[in-house]
Amino acid sequence: MSPLLLFSFVIGYFLILLVVAWYTGRNSNNDSFFIGNRNSNWMLVAFGMIGTSLSGVTFVSVPGAVARESFAYFQITLGYLLGYLVIAFVLLPLYYRLNLTSIYNYLSSRLGFTSYKTGASFFILSRTLGATARLYLVVKILQDAILESFHVPFWLTTLIILAMILLYTYEGGVKTIVWTDTLQTSCMLLGLVICVYYILNHLHLGVGESLAAMREKGYDRIFFTDPHSKFFFLKQILAGAFVTITMTGMDQEMMQKNISVKTLKDSQKNVVTLGFIMLVVIFLFLFLGGLLYLFAGTQQVTATGDALFPAIALNHMPKMVSVIFIIALISALFPSADGAITALTSSFCIDILGMQRRNDWNDAQKKKIRQRIHLGVACLFLLFVMVYKWVDSSSMIGVILKVAAYTYGPLLGLFTFGILLKRNVQDRLVPLVCILSPLLCLVIDKYQKALFGSFEIGLELLIINGLITFTGLWLISSPAVKQKA
């Protein structure tokens, strides 16, 4: 398909986003940028968060992994639902009761100022690494499909996409993102459904017949019962629950959208609804993955992994379906990248600079500083995308989940310790504990065969990381002194 035609549709789609951004970003201020004036519609937030939770990595990596892992990823999704329930009924009441703008302020009130800064710093590190990995994958596909033919270098493609994101998030922040994410999620899911429909029609199969064909190939296996396998269902469900609790419930990007909803009850409805919708959407992505491999077998397509879906969509489907794939892919990209840039800006301004506590800056100065930080975060994204290009993994979803296991573990330990125990920590030692914990996990992961034999550690490394952090915090803590009546 003509790269120029694809490019034209991409520009048209982006112009629509700019119109939405202009409309929602009028009369914006720092409060609307950070938490949308706590006036967001819960249904819009829930729907838009589908795109943020999935991203372009899910769009190509989950279907691409079906030949190797079958439907094992659905086990993790079942764990996601458990995690969303914990967020709705444990974390959200806490955040609303304290009226938080940054969720890491909880760590300040419970554990201490250094703990607060440590938690915010780990979020900034975690979200930067995860979001840029997602961004890299989609930029690479767009580069190969469109801009390579115009001899545009990879770094310039990344810069152009980041500039596009900045244009529509620069003023409105969360207030704008709630609406643009809704539009983008709609396009992403529409593209997913159309691609599924096209392949079913092309192969002359119904849903039941296609599942039977997948079963013959061994693609549709969901539950893995070998306790030693990293895909063992209990490991996967438990890991999925903790991944959601940390990467959503303890992540400022995800939670700033939830706490932008007016009431706790509506925010809880948002999270629970999202959990059930994710079950359906992830299963549809896995089903698509099985169809892609069945289709590839009839067309002599040799691509696998992350390269499979783009190879089929751009080279073996009608032109209009190829356009829909590109728009859907961009729609999967933007919600994860725009929200991350906005959340990182918010966290740096609130948690690192202490903007809300600064009385020596007026509103105009605060807005100017926030905009400079916004630009700085975009520049940081450009740098990290280039690093991922150098790494160039064949399955970016594996990279993202591995990074999350190391960087979100300390957050899991900090929040769990603060919520479950009433002990006081030595605040100045908290950064040491949170740095040593991922390093110990690195050793465990590297030498797991020597330590555990045939038992494989997968995503539960995140739980181990959180447990080590929790234990370290307990060792540097003492019982809280009871106040005399």
Side-chain angles (χ1 to χ4, degrees):
M1 182 173 184
S2 168
L4 183 59
L5 180 60
L6 285 174
F7 185 71
S8 300
F9 276 99
V10 170
I11 294 300
Y13 176 72
F14 173 64
L15 290 176
I16 294 173
L17 290 179
L18 280 183
V19 171
V20 174
W22 167 80
Y23 183 79
T24 57
R26 296 172 301 166
N27 303 317
S28 67
N29 53 37
N30 281 338
D31 192 41
S32 65
F33 185 93
F34 294 145
I35 53 171
N37 294 321
R38 295 193 190 276
N39 197 34
S40 301
N41 182 282
W42 75 267
M43 288 184 288
L44 289 179
V45 173
F47 189 73
M49 282 182 67
I50 298 170
T52 308
S53 302
L54 296 176
S55 81
V57 173
T58 305
F59 201 75
V60 296
S61 280
V62 170
V66 165
R68 184 177 65 254
E69 301 176 4
S70 300
F71 283 13
Y73 193 74
F74 193 74
Q75 297 175 135
I76 297 175
T77 311
L78 292 171
Y80 287 171
L81 178 59
L82 298 178
Y84 284 124
L85 294 175
V86 172
I87 292 168
F89 299 107
V90 177
L91 294 179
L92 279 177
L94 178 67
Y95 299 155
Y96 270 83
R97 186 173 70 249
L98 297 174
N99 196 33
L100 300 178
T101 300
S102 167
I103 63 173
Y104 307 112
N105 276 319
Y106 165 73
L107 297 176
S108 179
S109 62
R110 173 61 188 86
L111 301 178
F113 188 73
T114 304
S115 301
Y116 160 50
K117 293 291 186 181
T118 302
S121 298
F122 267 92
F123 160 70
I124 290 172
L125 174 64
S126 304
R127 182 48 68 180
T128 300
L129 292 174
T132 49
R134 295 178 176 95
L135 179 61
Y136 159 72
L137 177 62
V138 181
V139 171
K140 184 175 184 295
I141 294 171
L142 294 175
Q143 173 76 12
D144 294 341
I146 301 176
L147 295 171
E148 190 69 44
S149 62
F150 296 115
H151 306 292
V152 177
F154 181 87
W155 68 267
L156 185 56
T157 301
T158 307
L159 183 62
I160 291 169
I161 290 175
L162 286 170
M164 292 166 69
I165 293 171
L166 279 175
L167 278 175
Y168 75 83
T169 61
Y170 197 62
E171 286 293 333
V174 171
K175 184 179 178 183
T176 294
I177 286 172
V178 167
W179 286 94
T180 55
D181 281 4
T182 300
L183 172 63
Q184 292 156 356
T185 300
S186 300
C187 292
M188 181 190 69
L189 295 181
L190 180 63
L192 172 63
V193 171
I194 288 174
C195 289
V196 167
Y197 175 79
Y198 171 78
I199 296 177
L200 283 174
N201 188 59
H202 181 85
L203 296 176
H204 305 292
L205 294 174
V207 173
E209 293 170 316
S210 61
L211 285 171
M214 292 178 206
R215 189 170 300 113
E216 291 178 6
K217 300 284 187 179
Y219 294 156
D220 71 335
R221 184 182 179 189
I222 294 178
F223 293 104
F224 288 70
T225 56
D226 179 6
H228 293 91
S229 170
K230 66 179 180 180
F231 298 122
F232 180 49
F233 74 97
L234 286 179
K235 291 183 187 178
Q236 296 274 282
I237 292 173
L238 192 61
F242 279 92
V243 163
T244 298
I245 291 168
T246 52
M247 293 184 70
T248 299
M250 298 172 186
D251 184 289
Q252 177 66 16
E253 176 190 351
M254 302 298 287
M255 296 315 294
Q256 73 177 3
K257 295 174 185 177
N258 281 289
I259 60 179
S260 74
V261 177
K262 185 178 294 185
T263 67
L264 170 61
K265 185 177 179 180
D266 281 348
S267 186
Q268 289 173 321
K269 286 191 291 186
N270 157 40
V271 172
V272 173
T273 301
L274 175 64
F276 283 101
I277 292 175
M278 286 288 286
L279 286 176
V280 177
V281 173
I282 291 295
F283 185 84
L284 194 55
F285 270 108
L286 292 167
F287 180 65
L288 171 63
L291 289 178
L292 288 170
Y293 279 102
L294 293 177
F295 184 90
T298 66
Q299 301 293 319
Q300 287 75 52
V301 177
T302 57
T304 58
D306 292 353
L308 176 66
F309 195 6
I312 290 177
L314 297 174
N315 301 313
H316 297 275
M317 289 186 176
K319 291 181 179 180
M320 187 49 63
V321 179
S322 298
V323 170
I324 291 169
F325 167 78
I326 289 294
I327 296 300
L329 184 65
I330 295 173
S331 298
L333 157 69
F334 279 166
S336 57
D338 59 20
I341 291 174
T342 303
L344 288 167
T345 301
S346 301
S347 184
F348 195 87
C349 289
I350 296 169
D351 301 319
I352 305 301
L353 297 182
M355 182 175 285
Q356 291 184 315
R357 299 187 300 273
R358 296 291 297 264
N359 296 321
D360 54 329
W361 294 342
N362 59 36
D363 289 343
Q365 288 174 314
K366 289 180 179 179
K367 183 174 181 178
K368 189 174 183 179
I369 292 169
R370 183 253 296 167
Q371 290 174 333
R372 288 177 177 175
I373 299 299
H374 204 58
L375 289 171
V377 171
C379 293
L380 188 64
F381 268 47
L382 175 62
L383 174 63
F384 274 92
V385 168
M386 298 309 297
V387 170
Y388 279 116
K389 184 179 187 302
W390 175 66
V391 174
D392 194 26
S393 172
S394 61
S395 180
M396 289 306 297
I397 195 165
V399 172
I400 289 169
L401 291 174
K402 178 69 75 173
V403 166
Y406 286 110
T407 57
Y408 279 94
L411 283 173
L412 176 61
L414 284 167
F415 274 90
T416 305
F417 185 90
I419 292 170
L420 295 183
L421 300 183
K422 301 301 180 184
R423 297 172 67 89
N424 296 326
V425 298
Q426 297 181 52
D427 195 34
R428 60 186 176 82
L429 296 179
V430 169
L432 180 62
V433 170
C434 291
I435 291 171
L436 286 177
S437 181
L439 292 178
L440 286 173
C441 286
L442 181 63
V443 174
I444 292 171
D445 190 32
K446 184 177 177 65
Y447 296 104
Q448 61 173 287
K449 285 189 177 180
L451 293 170
F452 307 110
S454 60
F455 185 86
E456 292 184 275
I457 296 177
L459 293 180
E460 65 270 22
L461 189 66
L462 169 65
I463 304 172
I464 296 171
N465 196 350
L467 183 60
I468 293 173
T469 303
F470 185 95
T471 304
L473 293 172
W474 187 85
L475 291 174
I476 62 167
S477 67
S478 57
V481 178
K482 293 184 179 180
Q483 298 290 332
K484 292 183 178 181

